[in-house]
Amino acid sequence: MSDSEIERLISEDGIRCDGRRLDEIRPIKFQLGVLKNTDGSAYVEWGRTKILVGVMGPRESHPKHLALSDKARVEAYYRMASFSVEEWKSPAPSRREVELSKVIREALEPAIFVEFFPRTSIDIFIEVLQADGSTRCASISAASLALVDAGIPMRDLVASIAVGKVEGKLVLDVQDKEDKAGESDMPMAYMPSKNAVTLLQMDGQITHDEFMQSMELLKKGCMEVYKKQKEAIESHFKGAVSNQEEA
Amino acid sequence: MTTFFEPRQLVSPGTLLAEGNYQSGFNVYRDNGKYYASMVGLADIRNNVVSVIPLRGCYIPQPGDVVIGKVVECISTAWMLDIRSPYQGVLFASEFLSKPLNPLKEEARRYLDIGEMVVATVMAFDRTRNPSLTARDHGLGKIHRGTVIDVDFTRVPRIIGKKGSMITMLKKETGAQILVGQNGRVWISGKSRDEEAIIAEAIRKIEAEAHTSGLTDRVREFLVNRRR
């Protein structure tokens, strides 16, 4: 590659490399109840990112000494398939996967009524089939739908999205290419009806003003994801709405 | 005093249901004077109590419930029963046998072995300890014959029907004994295995079409056709 041929990620008129505007999210498709042997499940296609989530529980906590006497133990297992990234990923759990498991668990736990099920455990299995940026955001959003499908009581759905800084501009919903080339990445998980942030991370460098702008952008993005989540729930359970006779 | 839903509207966790002087029923929580759904289901209001009829969920034992349990563990003087709930039921020997059981002389397994089914009622449960069960009342005890099937716990009210309409119809049409456990297990005892299989099929039909109207008549028709 000649050094004069540097690819621009954002065009002069503010269009990104995949044709999106700066504050436009990728096409998102959620689906509930895709697995038979779990208590609840969800699948998401978030642009080119594809993630499958299965939830087991609340069930008896094993090993028993890890059970908590006052609440359910929530555990997330984030895993990337070897074929999920361009370079083959070693199937052994990496540092990044362990960290993301913890981060995702902590983003979801405030939404769950864990105190309803003392001494039990709720396990969330996240399988990233194809990764193209924002996998933690997609995982959190899909996992909260899988929790709904499992019938676990929750305060609100958790919607999540990331804002990045690319070529000096703030962009909503960063994809892999922008994440790698960009100056900063800031994912957030949010419970819209509670106006509560359950996850906020940032790497790279941004100014205070940019941070405040990012927060507005993140909230807007989360509301859009929230809408998609509600639509997915509605289309999955719509058959039940016409319920006429019940005991 | 306002509600923000149509009766029987589909709601999901976090949906604002009402604001003002209400009471929160099942699957509804209160936050700052506002009432929100905590589960996916159908919103309902009765006598100022806002509740959500769940569409998904697991069985939580309530004292007085009749449940069907499967023995998974035999301890010296008690059995642990799987009752399709996050918590296993405990059935003490004194709540099952009419005489005391001396663990030095005989094993609990002699009376109730792993894999066997028991009809029991929940005596007490407060989530800090496993629910304690009793099988000493009339109509309770070990299941000796028939078929036991697992059904979705949220479909139990539908299988029973309004004032027991569905279950009464099933029993009348088939002459079989049917017992619906609150925990989502149904015991069917009919004249033959084939007969039981047909009833099981009918219950699967109720489970799958729980939301449709005129189901009782359709299930009756189904039974008549299958048994001809």
Side-chain angles (χ1 to χ4, degrees), chain A residues 5 9 14 18 25-26 42 46 63 66-67 82 88-89 92 111 117-118 121 133 148 179 184 196 199 204 218 221 223:
Chain A
E5 272 290 308
L9 287 171
D18 59 354
I25 61 172
R26 286 175 275 181
W46 189 301
L66 289 178
S82 295
W88 179 82
K89 186 207 153 284
F117 304 103
S121 67
V148 168
D179 187 27
S184 149
L199 166 83
L218 284 166
M223 287 312 291

Side-chain angles (χ1 to χ4, degrees), chain A residues 38-50:
Chain A
T38 55
D39 293 320
S41 58
Y43 172 70
V44 62
E45 285 184 16
W46 189 301
R48 279 191 294 272
T49 295
K50 295 181 182 181

Side-chain angles (χ1 to χ4, degrees), chain A:
Chain A
M1 198 204 288
S2 64
D3 44 21
S4 62
E5 272 290 308
I6 302 168
E7 199 194 348
R8 291 285 305 267
L9 287 171
I10 300 175
S11 73
E12 299 289 322
D13 44 357
I15 299 295
R16 292 201 253 167
C17 57
D18 59 354
R20 281 187 288 158
R21 294 186 310 275
L22 297 179
D23 63 344
E24 193 176 338
I25 61 172
R26 286 175 275 181
I28 301 172
K29 209 176 78 192
F30 289 109
Q31 204 187 336
L32 276 79
V34 289
L35 302 174
K36 180 175 155 279
N37 296 331
T38 55
D39 293 320
S41 58
Y43 172 70
V44 62
E45 285 184 16
W46 189 301
R48 279 191 294 272
T49 295
K50 295 181 182 181
I51 296 170
L52 190 57
V53 184
V55 167
M56 296 295 281
R59 58 180 179 179
E60 212 167 291
S61 199
H62 283 293
K64 271 190 174 153
H65 71 268
L66 289 178
L68 306 170
S69 58
D70 59 339
K71 60 179 184 179
R73 184 169 68 100
V74 181
E75 206 67 72
Y77 302 90
Y78 171 96
R79 214 191 87 85
M80 286 179 108
S82 295
F83 51 78
S84 64
V85 278
E86 267 172 51
E87 292 272 324
W88 179 82
K89 186 207 153 284
S90 157
S94 64
R95 192 216 95 251
R96 184 177 169 275
E97 284 171 296
V98 175
E99 181 191 315
L100 280 188
S101 299
K102 173 191 176 284
V103 157
I104 290 167
R105 184 193 77 220
E106 288 175 354
L108 290 168
E109 206 177 311
I112 304 171
F113 282 100
V114 281
E115 60 274 23
F116 281 16
F117 304 103
R119 303 181 295 123
T120 64
S121 67
I122 297 168
D123 297 309
I124 304 160
F125 301 96
I126 299 156
E127 302 287 331
V128 179
L129 306 177
Q130 189 166 288
D132 186 37
S134 296
T135 56
R136 80 191 66 188
C137 298
S139 298
I140 291 166
S141 309
S144 71
L145 287 185
L147 288 164
V148 168
D149 188 40
I152 292 169
M154 294 207 290
R155 289 182 178 83
D156 196 5
L157 303 172
V158 185
S160 178
I161 206 153
V163 156
K165 188 178 164 191
V166 178
E167 293 171 1
K169 292 198 176 86
L170 294 175
V171 296
L172 186 62
D173 190 14
V174 282
Q175 52 176 325
D176 194 44
K177 217 178 191 178
E178 293 167 333
D179 187 27
K180 292 211 166 91
E183 296 99 85
S184 149
D185 176 29
M186 185 164 140
M188 177 170 91
Y190 182 61
M191 289 194 278
S193 79
K194 310 272 101 177
N195 194 25
V197 174
T198 63
L199 166 83
L200 185 62
Q201 293 183 302
M202 199 203 55
D203 59 19
Q205 286 183 326
I206 56 170
T207 64
H208 180 263
D209 281 350
E210 282 171 338
F211 179 84
M212 297 318 279
Q213 279 174 38
S214 293
M215 284 305 282
E216 287 311 307
L217 213 49
L218 284 166
K219 276 189 190 178
K220 173 187 166 290
C222 283
M223 287 312 291
E224 282 178 49
V225 174
Y226 190 59
K227 221 177 106 195
K228 300 255 183 195
Q229 286 174 312
K230 289 213 155 187
E231 281 168 13
I233 291 175
E234 223 142 90
S235 74
H236 184 69
F237 291 102
K238 68 175 172 234
V241 182
S242 56
N243 197 338
Q244 291 301 314
E245 35 173 357
E246 178 114 11

Side-chain angles (χ1 to χ4, degrees), chain B:
Chain B
M1 292 278 285
T2 18
T3 56
F4 303 101
F5 62 92
E6 305 283 312
R8 299 204 160 268
Q9 188 192 318
L10 179 72
V11 294
S12 52
T15 308
L16 178 63
L17 297 179
E19 193 172 357
N21 196 16
Y22 291 98
Q23 276 182 294
S24 51
F26 287 116
N27 306 316
V28 169
Y29 71 97
R30 210 179 91 136
D31 186 19
N32 244 330
K34 290 177 180 168
Y35 295 83
Y36 299 90
S38 70
M39 269 239 235
V40 62
L42 307 172
D44 201 22
I45 183 159
R46 243 171 246 177
N47 307 324
N48 255 0
V49 179
V50 188
S51 56
V52 171
I53 302 160
L55 290 173
R56 303 283 283 139
C58 61
Y59 172 67
I60 297 297
Q62 302 277 335
D65 280 358
V66 174
V67 296
I68 298 174
K70 186 185 190 178
V71 180
V72 288
E73 203 180 334
C74 303
I75 319 165
S76 60
T77 59
W79 295 273
M80 298 303 287
L81 266 56
D82 164 45
I83 51 170
R84 306 194 70 217
S85 149
Y87 305 95
Q88 280 182 359
V90 192
L91 181 66
F92 284 104
S94 58
E95 294 298 337
F96 179 69
L97 302 169
S98 48
K99 59 177 179 99
L101 183 131
N102 184 347
L104 297 173
K105 289 194 179 137
E106 50 190 356
E107 280 185 56
R109 284 183 67 165
R110 265 192 58 194
Y111 298 97
L112 210 50
D113 206 348
I114 286 165
E116 290 186 301
M117 296 284 197
V118 183
V119 181
T121 54
V122 179
M123 279 201 300
F125 179 56
D126 63 1
R127 297 184 203 225
T128 59
R129 251 175 260 178
N130 283 36
S132 50
L133 308 175
T134 178
R136 290 199 65 177
D137 245 350
H138 182 69
L140 307 178
K142 183 165 148 185
I143 293 174
H144 293 279
R145 58 177 184 281
T147 312
V148 175
I149 58 166
D150 286 5
V151 296
D152 188 343
F153 143 79
T154 57
R155 302 290 188 263
V156 167
R158 199 67 198 81
I159 294 168
I160 294 168
K162 228 178 222 161
K163 289 185 189 135
S165 60
M166 184 70 86
I167 192 78
T168 314
M169 184 277 290
L170 282 174
K171 283 178 185 165
K172 222 173 86 188
E173 283 293 321
T174 62
Q177 259 184 295
I178 306 168
L179 188 127
V180 184
Q182 286 299 318
N183 60 333
R185 269 207 184 110
V186 184
W187 172 50
I188 310 157
S189 178
K191 287 180 209 96
S192 66
R193 282 275 171 207
D194 292 345
E195 184 85 24
E196 285 165 9
I198 291 169
I199 299 167
E201 217 176 308
I203 290 172
R204 290 269 169 259
K205 191 178 162 72
I206 300 168
E207 213 187 341
E209 300 171 23
H211 55 275
T212 54
S213 53
L215 186 57
T216 315
D217 293 332
R218 276 211 311 288
V219 174
R220 180 184 290 122
E221 212 172 288
F222 170 84
L223 280 173
V224 169
N225 287 337
R226 283 303 305 261
R227 298 173 74 232
R228 199 154 40 202

